């Protein structure tokens, strides 16, 4: 069995799930923020439903998918190194770029998770417009990371 191909396939599947959630969650936040302009009881009913979806999306899809993406990504790094023998590829510009992208995406994930708590508490300061404008951040990071890994560019 080709363990590298298995690890790569599992990593890609985990990243797809993570990205799907990361692209959908800000949209739910936008819908939630826009409920503030609606009359009661519609506002409370919709926000309750949206917040349930937000929580489930984070706990059931996004958080586990990120964990699996990190596990399978670490496995890929280890296999790529020759099972720990040669880590020289890790200093290549394409890999550094990929790892910076992973760090930024994980940071955005943390920001989104923290905002869910603020939204529930009613202390979030962000509008639906903000969430729509930032909705594509994960996809832009994905473009950079995927092209870095597939092209393995150097300086």
């Amino acid at each position: 069995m080709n363990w590298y191909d298995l690890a790569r396939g599992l990593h890609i599947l985990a990243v797809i799930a993570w990205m799907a959630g990361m692209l959908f969650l800000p949209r739910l936040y936008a819908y939630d923020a826009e409920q503030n302009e609606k009359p009661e009881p519609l506002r409370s009913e919709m926000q309750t439903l949206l917040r349930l979806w937000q929580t489930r999306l984070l706990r059931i899809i996004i958080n586990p998918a990120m964990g699996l993406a990190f596990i399978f990504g670490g496995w890929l790094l280890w296999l790529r190194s020759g099972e720990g023998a040669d880590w020289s590829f890790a200093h290549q510009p394409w890999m550094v770029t990929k790892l910076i992208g992973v760090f930024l995406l994980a940071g955005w994930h943390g920001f989104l998770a923290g905002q869910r708590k603020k939204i529930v508490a009613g202390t979030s300061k962000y509008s639906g417009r903000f969430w729509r404008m930032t909705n594509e951040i994960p996809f832009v990071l994905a473009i950079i990371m995927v092209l870095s890994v597939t092209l393995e560019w150097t300086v």
Side-chain angles (χ1 to χ4, degrees):
M1 173 179 282
N2 186 331
W3 293 108
Y4 187 82
D5 285 344
L6 176 63
R8 183 172 49 178
L10 292 171
H11 179 67
I12 289 168
L13 291 170
V15 170
I16 288 170
W18 187 21
M19 290 297 297
M22 295 287 284
L23 291 168
F24 188 48
L25 188 58
R27 184 61 55 168
L28 291 176
Y29 290 171
Y31 297 154
D32 190 299
E34 290 163 357
Q35 296 310 306
N36 291 327
E37 302 162 7
K38 304 278 169 78
E40 287 293 352
L42 180 62
R43 175 179 51 223
S44 296
E45 290 173 5
M46 283 302 298
Q47 284 181 327
T48 299
L49 184 60
L50 288 164
R51 291 170 187 182
L52 176 64
W53 292 347
Q54 294 162 14
T55 301
R56 287 181 177 169
L57 184 60
L58 270 165
R59 289 186 184 159
I60 298 170
I61 296 173
I62 299 175
N63 292 342
M66 182 188 74
L68 290 171
F70 273 79
I71 289 167
F72 296 134
W75 188 22
L76 274 171
L77 289 172
W78 184 74
L79 290 169
R80 173 80 186 237
S81 73
E83 300 180 3
D86 179 16
W87 291 92
S88 61
F89 73 94
H91 302 287
Q92 295 294 320
W94 65 270
M95 181 52 77
V96 171
T97 301
K98 161 72 185 244
L99 294 175
I100 289 170
V102 169
F103 176 77
L104 292 172
L105 188 60
W108 182 246
H109 178 141
F111 173 76
L112 292 177
Q115 282 302 304
R116 186 193 60 79
K117 292 176 185 175
K118 290 184 177 186
I119 289 169
V120 169
T123 60
S124 178
K125 62 183 178 188
Y126 298 110
S127 67
R129 183 171 188 260
F130 169 83
W131 292 117
R132 281 188 170 74
M133 289 176 58
T134 60
N135 191 58
E136 303 307 322
I137 288 173
F139 189 66
V140 171
L141 291 172
I143 291 169
I144 294 166
M145 290 185 287
V146 168
L147 291 178
S148 292
V149 171
T150 56
L151 297 175
E152 292 190 11
W153 54 274
T154 58
V155 185

